[in-house]
Amino acid sequence: TVDEWISTEQFAYFSGVHEAYERLEHKVTGARRKLFYLRGGYWILIDRFTAAAPEHRHTYQQRFQLGVPGRILVDNRVVTDGDGGNILFVPLFGEAKVEPCPYPLGGDYADPDQLTFTQTRDGSGLFVTLLVPFTGACPDVQARFLDVEADDRAVDPFEITGLEIVITGQRDVYVDTHMHWNLPWRCAEYSGEERLFHSR
């Protein structure tokens, strides 16, 4: 189910959810994907998995099919090594692994490498991954969670994700509220009630 799609001159944003993992013995009642694209800049990919019970242990994965070889850097970052433009993957959660595609197409198709970020934990899971396209030298990219206060308390990134992104000296702040109602929040030097916020 697509529940939000926004397209402006500055950015595009998608939010959708499915319930396919309810078939598991220990159900995951919702899998939600959010994608924020700052035009000419980067993507923020958020995957949220809602477990049916906090004591259920799950292994969550986020996968990418790479059209060119990829290599793992420090802090589980991964960069592609193509002849033209490339992408730097900056995960805030998950262990990185790059391997040949386990589901080869065969025939005349060139099978891509598969990048997988994995986390094993009790209860619900969250991936937040920054994808930065570039040509030439890999840019200097820093990304970290910011504290978010709402409802008179510090909220978990699973409830509201606050990010600071610094790329070659340019600082952005991103806030994404995952509840389906507007809740006043404070993050870094900003405050608001909107569910989606980006400041460049």
Side-chain angles (χ1 to χ4, degrees), residues 12 45 55-56 70-71 74 77 80 104 116 136 147 154 157 161 182 184 193:
L45 179 61
E55 68 273 12
H56 290 166
R71 59 189 165 90
V74 296
R77 294 178 175 212
T80 61
T116 305
D147 293 334
T161 300
N182 291 33
E193 292 188 9

Side-chain angles (χ1 to χ4, degrees), residues 123-144:
S124 299
L126 174 71
F127 286 100
V128 179
T129 305
L130 180 67
L131 293 82
V132 182
F134 66 93
T135 56
C138 186
D140 178 21
V141 177
Q142 303 300 320
R144 67 181 181 100

Side-chain angles (χ1 to χ4, degrees), residues 65-85:
Q65 304 303 320
L66 306 180
V68 294
R71 59 189 165 90
I72 300 174
L73 308 175
V74 296
D75 297 328
N76 287 293
R77 294 178 175 212
V78 174
V79 67
T80 61
D81 283 326
D83 291 334

Side-chain angles (χ1 to χ4, degrees), residues 122-189:
D122 294 338
S124 299
L126 174 71
F127 286 100
V128 179
T129 305
L130 180 67
L131 293 82
V132 182
F134 66 93
T135 56
C138 186
D140 178 21
V141 177
Q142 303 300 320
R144 67 181 181 100
F145 286 114
L146 292 174
D147 293 334
V148 180
E149 294 182 6
D151 200 24
D152 296 322
R153 62 187 175 91
V155 296
D156 188 272
F158 190 82
E159 299 172 285
I160 301 177
T161 300
L163 298 176
E164 179 183 68
I165 299 164
V166 181
I167 302 177
T168 317
Q170 171 68 55
R171 177 179 180 264
D172 294 3
V173 171
Y174 177 81
V175 178
D176 197 331
T177 299
H178 303 304
M179 291 85 76
H180 284 271
W181 55 85
N182 291 33
L183 188 66
W185 53 262
R186 290 187 306 278
C187 181
E189 67 270 34

